[in-house]
Amino acid sequence: MSDQFDRASELEQRYRDDALATQQRKSHQSEQAYEQGGVRYCLGCHCAMSTARLVANPQAVRCVPCQQQHE
């Protein structure tokens, strides 16, 4: 009987892991940086992002105030 519970628990964990991975992929795809003419624009306020922000975090898609609000 405990083997059934162990297998059910493992299967449930696998489903959760798959769901989280899918959610992370969708989130990452929807948060692609918008760039035009070599300038990256914030996803939150749509203003040009500062060079200092991009040097500090090259993958940033939001300016610091918008990222703080997003978190």
Side-chain angles (χ1 to χ4, degrees), residues 11-55:
L11 185 59
E12 182 180 6
Q13 186 62 46
R14 195 175 320 148
Y15 284 143
R16 287 181 185 172
D17 292 343
D18 289 346
L20 285 172
T22 300
Q23 180 63 30
Q24 287 174 343
R25 279 194 305 274
K26 286 181 181 179
S27 176
H28 181 70
Q29 289 171 352
S30 66
E31 293 197 348
Q32 296 296 317
Y34 173 69
E35 292 187 35
Q36 184 177 13
V39 177
R40 187 176 304 172
Y41 294 89
C42 173
L43 290 180
C45 64
H46 309 289
C47 294
M49 293 175 58
S50 70
T51 304
R53 170 72 169 144
L54 296 175
V55 167

